[in-house]
Amino acid sequence: MVRIVIVDYGMGNLASVRNALRAVGYDPEVTDDPAAVAGADGVVLPGVGAFGAGMQNLARRGLDRALQQAAAAGRPILGICLGMHLLFAAGEEGGLRPGLGLLEGRVTRLPGGVRLPQIGWNQVLVRQDHPVFDGVPEPLWAYFDHAYAVEGEAPSTALALTTYGRTYPSVVGRDHLLGIQFHPEKSSRAGLAMLANWGRMVCDLSSTRRST
């Protein structure tokens, strides 16, 4: 069994993410230990709250460096909601602040004219094939809860788009990094299917690593 860890930095729906992964056959460990994060087969970075506070909490525990080490080693990392935002270079919530810098781009506030935060179901339009979408029916509807999103409609990392006030990337990916703006753990069968697919990606990569 692969070792999947959920990063505890004081700002995540840890129990719901853990329970969702258990529901699709995995037994993740919740941890705030940097060594456990850096050495895991797969890392989930969840999150609810503000960008600046999230980065501050990661840095206080040494988890920012652990995540960067895991990424440099080619470990799969899944960022959910705020966790996705923190993968990027910067976020403007509370003033422009640096993120983990694992993906290029910045996170900005959704425009006026719509109720913020966006809370509820919205459509996700897949624009690039990716294993995380295997077996996930289209149209894909998912549960969102956020007021900030990655800037720009079509950065090179955008795998899927959603429109609310503006069109923004709702799923991003590059190499072994994956970010999901919505909450897959709250998005019924489609969300669970995506978590199961990510778990299989972790297993496949771990198997390849151990056989070489």
Side-chain angles (χ1 to χ4, degrees), residues 7 9 45 54-64 67 86:
V7 182
Y9 61 112
L45 181 63
M55 283 304 303
Q56 185 177 49
N57 283 11
L58 288 175
R60 185 181 295 124
R61 295 165 168 84
L63 293 165
D64 54 346
L67 285 158
L86 297 177

Side-chain angles (χ1 to χ4, degrees), residues 29 72 83 102 106 116:
E29 169 191 352
L102 302 178
R106 68 171 61 184
L116 296 176

Side-chain angles (χ1 to χ4, degrees), residues 2 28 32 35 39 41 50 63 69 79 90 100 103 111 155 164 166 168 177 182 185-187 195 203:
V2 295
D32 63 357
D41 294 308
L63 293 165
Q69 290 167 4
L100 291 168
L103 296 173
Y164 188 81
R166 61 176 166 88
Y168 59 86
L177 302 175
F182 52 88
E185 76 279 9
K186 297 181 180 179
S187 296
L195 290 175
C203 290

